[in-house]
Amino acid sequence: MRIEDWAAARQRMVERQILSRGVADRRVLDALSAVERHRFVPVDVRDLAYTDQPLPIGDGQTISQPYIVALMTELLDPQPGDTLLEIGTGSGYQAAVLSSLVAQVYSIEILEPLAEEARARLEELGYRNVTVRCADGYRGWPEHAPFDGIVVTAAPPSVPQPLLEQLAVGGRMVVPVGDAFQELQVIVREDSGFTVRRSIAVRFVPMVGEAQQG
Ligand code: SAH
């Protein structure tokens, strides 16, 4: 496909799958219009890059459905000066979407080949304010905390305590919580504690590692 065709497909994706489902934040829509999702998926599924579905990215993992990426980004309410943490880099797509909206994105991926690939891809595509680390995201990234926002793109059975602790006061965490089926939660850290708001039902791969140890 030619560059213009990809751009047109992307524009249709934003209008038909995202705007039409109620994601209205202009900055989020612009970010989804700009990031070349087809560069984040394997060549054999590239033609499906702008369809309304998650896609395999190798190692049994998937790049999330565009609408879910948009919704989670909107719920995170990213601000230009923010420092964000993502757990579950995967392809690096969600990190790339966040990149243009905030000052700095830290992203943790537990599988080495995916972390390596995402790091190389983000560098090649010029996303300079994203730093990828290979580790278990359960413990967060204390050296860079507190975070103005944390987005978790693998589902823990319950919210990891270290991630709550690394959220700045006024910060927001968007996280799918549960086992086979999960609900998307928006957790806000207030001066005096945390508030939890429930969004839609979702289906993410499980957060593996320490999150599974009860
Ligand atoms: N945000 C990704 C999609 C996430 S798929 C994208 O935009 O493409 C979920 C990812 O979370 C997978 O790559 C999986 O390996 C990773 N993951 C699962 N458990 C994890 C953990 N404990 N720490 C860090 N990453 C984890």
Side-chain angles (χ1 to χ4, degrees):
M1 246 200 270
R2 294 173 308 149
I3 290 179
E4 310 88 85
D5 297 336
W6 288 120
R10 197 154 58 243
Q11 209 45 50
R12 276 197 301 278
M13 169 193 89
V14 169
E15 279 158 25
R16 294 183 192 168
Q17 301 169 32
I18 297 172
L19 185 59
S20 68
R21 285 199 186 109
V23 173
D25 186 326
R26 194 67 250 171
R27 294 167 315 147
V28 175
L29 298 172
D30 288 347
L32 271 288
S33 301
V35 179
E36 300 189 309
R37 191 171 189 261
H38 66 276
R39 310 280 294 258
F40 291 81
V41 302
V43 175
D44 58 323
V45 293
R46 199 158 264 188
D47 287 347
L48 301 174
Y50 298 107
T51 57
D52 188 19
Q53 57 186 328
L55 292 168
I57 54 170
D59 292 280
Q61 306 303 319
T62 54
I63 179 174
S64 309
Q65 183 190 357
Y67 167 67
I68 296 294
V69 174
L71 176 67
M72 290 176 83
T73 305
E74 184 172 66
L75 291 171
L76 201 56
D77 192 22
Q79 301 299 317
D82 282 359
T83 296
L84 303 184
L85 175 66
E86 178 190 31
I87 308 301
T89 317
S91 68
Y93 178 69
Q94 171 79 76
V97 167
L98 293 170
S99 160
S100 66
L101 298 170
V102 300
Q104 182 66 41
V105 180
Y106 293 97
S107 186
I108 305 179
E109 168 58 52
I110 201 166
L111 297 177
E112 182 80 50
L114 288 179
E116 283 302 324
E117 208 178 309
R119 191 183 287 131
R121 174 181 291 129
L122 289 162
E123 194 181 309
E124 189 196 324
L125 295 176
Y127 293 100
R128 307 247 175 271
N129 61 344
V130 181
T131 309
V132 178
R133 169 190 190 180
C134 182
D136 184 341
Y138 181 89
R139 298 260 149 211
W141 200 330
E143 293 83 355
H144 297 294
F147 298 100
D148 303 298
I150 299 179
V151 59
V152 184
T153 64
S158 62
V159 182
Q161 188 62 30
L163 298 184
L164 291 170
E165 287 163 10
Q166 288 172 35
L167 203 54
V169 173
R172 306 155 297 281
M173 183 180 340
V174 180
V175 51
V177 184
D179 296 315
F181 292 89
Q182 307 117 25
E183 67 175 14
L184 202 54
Q185 296 186 355
V186 183
I187 301 172
V188 180
R189 182 165 201 171
E190 319 271 10
D191 286 323
S192 54
F194 297 90
T195 59
V196 181
R197 188 155 55 86
R198 291 164 171 191
S199 181
I200 61 168
V202 287
R203 228 178 153 185
F204 278 83
V205 298
M207 185 187 280
V208 297
E210 206 171 336
Q212 298 298 330
Q213 283 158 30

